[in-house]
Amino acid sequence: METPVAADPARTLLDLRRGGRLAAEYPTVRALLAEADTRQTAHAGRVLGGLDPDEVLAAHPDTAALTVAVVGHGTVGPLLGPLTGELARHGLLLRPYQGAFDSWVFELSDPGSALYAASPDLALCLLDPAVVFDEVPLPWRPADVARVLAEKTALVEKVAARFADTVRGTLVLNTLPLPRRHTAQLIDHRSRAELGALWREANARLLRLGVDNASVVVIDLDPLLAEGVPAADPRLDVYAKVHLSEPLLAAYAREIGHLARHVAGLTSKVLVLDLDQTVWGGILGDDGPEGIEAAGGHRGEAFRAFQRVAKQLGSQGVLLAAVSKNDREPVLDVLRDHPDMTLREEDFVRVTADWRPKSESIAALADALNLATGSFVFVDDSTFERGLVRRELPKVAVVAVDDEPAHHVERLLRDGWFDVRRLTGEDRARAELYRGEVARTDFLQGFASVADYLNELGVRVRLRPVTSDELPRISQLTLRTNQFNLTTRRLQPAEVAAYAAAEGSGVLTVRSADRFGDNGLVGAVFLERRDGELRIDNFLLSCRVFSRGIEQGVLSTVLGLAAGAGLHAVTGHYRPTPRNHIVKDLFPRYGFAPVQDESGTPVGEGLAFRHDLSTALHPPGHLQLDADPAGLLEGAHA
């Protein structure tokens, strides 16, 4: 039942291209490359590189396309094939911009350059050892290298600052490998140690750029090199000025694929784990609690290592769930009382143990959490179960493990499903928040009507202008919220800050709580005062708090703000995407009228709406609304 992975995906893609069907069948590429290694993906990417992105978008307008600029000190063209393939693995389409040879300083320093004109979502500045050693004198000593390193890192910091001030995208840097051919030119070990220390200090300085600058991500190449990837190919290094090896470029491209998925708003949120032979060794129903392996012995320690990794992910906001073909009580007994278990019942937002198809259990969990199945990652050792989930829930990412538990950790982590730019306080509290969401869903079952449920739920909403410490969370909402998101405009923290600080505009944050606890910061409204009207540039709300009347409370506040400021209308628009149809009638539902030209054609990008403020909109009666938007549109924000 599980779709077999082609031994050579590139051959299949080449056949499609030769038959003129590659653009038409582009959505199948994601499944075709799902299990491909970096070499296969790079090969497939070279085939896909001849594909016109506009042709794909004409056939599949809902495909997410990202503009990625690539510049560097050496020849960067060999990165485009792996990059194309890695984005395709995640259903994304690459629009590439390739800088000229050794153009990185000019391209990133000049706001009038072609790179900035391309307005990239990601700008990759590929750094390599030659950027330093090409300027080291001969003969040289560690002090000479230290001087050039200092100059280059200072230059990188300068262009990173210019990028942050100029464009909305993300600049991606990388640490510098130190090949042995450089260290071995120093014949005394003391000098080699000094060079190594200097080099690592420079790399640490680069890595801190990714900590301190919200517009910068730094890919650390050391973990990739530690897996045996060669730093350089001597022939390509000398003859073609390709200063990083093709395997290293392919591994780097895989990391960029994970980042690109996050930038496109496709970060996964839920890790669904099978139990038998996945979380623990053995079959609980056959071997009993005393017969399963969760620690001790070689296999037991492998399962313990996997559980530790899952728990670590869960501590950072990844929602853990268990779906098992077992009777419920024995499973709960193991999770509560087995002395060898690392994962416990409280680590999971839900434990499902029954005999239904696992695809049904995952779909039910998605409904309970109010999350799209595209947010789920499913890990199972059964070919049958994985194939069933792939067929019934094709948007779920499926991770294959087998009867060798020592490989479980690597297979779970290899695709960075849950990678984000940076964590927020809401991320770390997410598991508890969603456990409350499951409790709310179960609570609903005891009421005859939704109205009765909402009255008893006790929803409280607090609206305030955004503060500086909330900027990362608001940015994250723009990046990760797909369903209740009127325009799906993705913003980095610096862009949110700039919008909030501009005169006449502001960001209103939405926090909610109820009888089951605090939901945290769950939404935002971007507002701009223009020509006597108040424009809603975007309104987004976490899927955790759908259908509770919060959107009505927020819009009533926005309309009241406009009326109180003496404005004559509130406008906004809805830009349809494949995933935000839930809000397509939001504006009409609350008294906004469609804006049309004389021919009756909708005005503006997407569908434009206008409320003339002739009637008031009141918050729903069950909602306790605490709204204080004072000073929101005056340009003075905390």
Side-chain angles (χ1 to χ4, degrees):
M1 182 172 295
E2 188 171 29
T3 303
V5 177
D8 184 4
R11 184 179 297 277
T12 302
L13 294 175
L14 190 58
D15 289 342
L16 289 172
R17 192 174 77 178
R18 287 170 175 166
R21 306 191 312 279
L22 187 52
E25 299 193 31
Y26 191 80
T28 66
V29 176
R30 176 174 175 264
L32 186 66
L33 297 178
E35 298 295 328
D37 59 29
T38 55
R39 181 190 58 82
Q40 292 172 319
T41 306
H43 190 189
R46 286 189 282 272
V47 177
L48 292 168
L51 194 58
D52 182 355
D54 290 333
E55 187 180 354
V56 175
L57 292 172
H60 307 283
D62 296 336
T63 304
L66 292 182
T67 299
V68 181
V70 183
V71 293
H73 172 65
T75 303
V76 298
L79 178 61
L80 294 183
L83 201 58
T84 302
E86 292 297 341
L87 265 65
R89 285 186 73 236
H90 300 295
L92 303 172
L93 187 64
L94 175 67
R95 287 190 179 277
Y97 168 80
Q98 180 182 343
F101 178 81
D102 197 17
S103 65
W104 68 280
V105 176
F106 167 76
E107 294 264 29
L108 291 170
S109 299
D110 180 10
S113 70
L115 183 148
Y116 285 107
S119 188
D121 300 287
L122 295 172
L124 314 184
C125 180
L126 197 62
L127 302 174
D128 55 62
V131 76
V132 174
F133 281 100
D134 280 357
E135 296 187 18
V136 170
L138 186 67
W140 57 270
R141 296 180 180 181
D144 298 307
V145 177
R147 175 182 53 79
V148 179
L149 277 170
E151 292 172 354
K152 294 300 181 183
T153 49
L155 181 58
V156 169
E157 290 169 348
K158 180 179 179 181
V159 299
R162 176 60 60 89
F163 184 91
D165 291 340
T166 307
V167 75
R168 68 173 182 83
T170 298
L171 176 63
V172 182
L173 305 169
N174 59 273
T175 57
L176 298 168
L178 179 59
R180 184 180 180 277
R181 72 172 182 274
H182 295 301
T183 60
Q185 293 178 45
L186 297 170
I187 63 174
D188 67 297
H189 286 280
R190 181 179 182 279
S191 294
R192 290 180 184 177
E194 184 180 0
L195 175 62
L198 292 168
W199 200 269
R200 286 164 177 80
E201 288 164 4
N203 275 335
R205 187 171 168 182
L206 288 173
L207 288 167
R208 278 191 288 271
L209 270 176
V211 175
D212 301 332
N213 190 325
S215 298
V216 175
V217 168
V218 182
I219 304 296
D220 190 353
L221 297 187
D222 278 357
L224 308 181
L225 297 169
E227 294 184 344
V229 177
D233 180 313
R235 295 171 301 172
L236 291 176
D237 186 27
V238 174
Y239 301 145
K241 304 302 180 185
V242 179
H243 299 306
L244 300 178
S245 73
E246 289 187 351
L248 182 55
L249 290 176
Y252 167 86
R254 178 147 294 190
E255 298 297 313
I256 299 302
H258 306 162
L259 176 61
R261 186 177 64 241
H262 171 60
V263 169
L266 303 178
T267 304
S268 298
K269 299 176 182 177
V270 187
L271 174 58
V272 181
L273 300 173
D274 168 51
L275 296 178
D276 290 338
Q277 301 288 32
T278 299
V279 166
W280 59 62
I283 307 298
L284 179 59
D286 295 337
D287 302 322
E290 67 283 351
I292 65 173
E293 302 169 289
H298 298 306
R299 287 176 56 83
E301 286 303 305
F303 286 108
R304 179 174 178 269
F306 181 72
Q307 289 189 40
R308 286 174 62 85
V309 168
K311 193 177 185 80
Q312 171 67 13
L313 294 175
S315 73
Q316 298 167 89
V318 175
L319 306 179
L320 303 183
V323 174
S324 177
K325 291 284 187 71
N326 265 306
D327 291 327
R328 180 172 176 80
E329 287 308 314
V331 166
L332 293 181
D333 287 344
V334 168
L335 293 175
R336 292 167 180 166
D337 302 323
H338 197 289
D340 292 340
M341 287 293 294
T342 298
L343 288 173
R344 295 297 182 182
E345 182 184 10
E346 59 268 20
D347 292 313
F348 298 94
V349 293
R350 171 168 283 183
V351 175
T352 302
D354 55 29
W355 300 97
R356 290 184 297 170
K358 291 185 180 179
S359 56
E360 292 183 10
S361 297
I362 295 172
L365 177 61
D367 288 341
L369 296 176
N370 210 357
L371 290 173
T373 57
S375 298
F376 284 65
V377 177
F378 172 59
V379 185
D380 202 307
D381 69 299
S382 167
T383 302
F384 172 80
E385 298 292 354
R386 295 195 305 266
L388 185 61
V389 169
R390 278 196 174 105
R391 188 187 71 186
E392 299 298 321
L393 303 172
K395 293 184 178 180
V396 172
V398 177
V399 175
V401 295
D402 54 27
D403 58 0
E404 178 45 82
H407 294 157
H408 283 16
V409 169
E410 185 276 331
R411 292 182 180 178
L412 171 60
L413 297 179
R414 75 168 191 159
D415 275 315
W417 297 113
F418 309 103
D419 288 3
V420 297
R421 288 285 308 278
R422 56 184 60 195
L423 289 178
T424 66
E426 281 78 7
D427 288 326
R428 298 188 185 279
R430 183 175 291 117
E432 187 61 34
L433 296 176
Y434 272 93
R435 272 192 286 271
E437 186 59 32
V438 172
R440 292 178 187 93
T441 301
D442 295 339
F443 183 62
L444 173 61
Q445 307 308 314
F447 291 88
S449 70
V450 172
D452 290 341
Y453 164 71
L454 291 173
N455 285 329
E456 291 297 321
L457 189 58
V459 181
R460 304 184 299 278
V461 176
R462 184 175 185 270
L463 305 177
R464 294 290 189 277
V466 68
T467 60
S468 58
D469 60 341
E470 294 171 326
L471 296 175
R473 171 58 177 164
I474 299 299
S475 169
Q476 185 184 74
L477 282 171
T478 72
L479 292 170
R480 301 180 67 171
T481 302
N482 294 298
Q483 296 180 69
F484 198 117
N485 190 332
L486 287 172
T487 66
T488 62
R489 182 185 177 196
R490 313 298 184 184
L491 298 175
Q492 301 301 332
E495 295 175 277
V496 179
Y499 186 99
E503 184 176 356
S505 69
V507 180
L508 190 65
T509 63
V510 184
R511 292 181 177 271
S512 76
D514 56 39
R515 65 180 294 160
F516 291 102
D518 190 349
N519 290 304
L521 203 167
V522 296
V525 190
F526 291 76
L527 300 170
E528 181 183 7
R529 182 171 179 165
R530 180 192 300 176
D531 298 329
E533 297 182 344
L534 185 60
R535 174 187 170 91
I536 300 175
D537 280 338
N538 200 9
F539 180 14
L540 51 150
L541 202 60
S542 169
C543 51
R544 288 188 285 114
V545 294
F546 283 1
S547 304
R548 298 178 195 172
I550 294 175
E551 60 274 21
Q552 183 177 339
V554 172
L555 288 177
S556 71
T557 299
V558 171
L559 294 176
L561 174 65
L567 304 179
H568 56 261
V570 174
T571 63
H573 72 275
Y574 162 66
R575 185 171 71 87
T577 73
R579 301 174 68 180
N580 73 350
H581 61 276
I582 192 172
V583 292
K584 66 180 180 180
D585 63 345
L586 177 74
F587 285 127
R589 192 188 318 153
Y590 295 113
F592 287 72
V595 177
Q596 300 175 336
D597 62 20
E598 295 179 356
S599 66
T601 304
V603 173
E605 182 187 7
L607 304 174
F609 298 90
R610 187 175 186 273
H611 195 294
D612 63 9
L613 303 178
S614 59
T615 58
L617 176 64
H618 301 287
H622 69 268
L623 201 72
Q624 300 177 44
L625 183 62
D626 174 12
D628 183 10
L632 182 70
L633 303 178
E634 297 174 3
H637 304 279

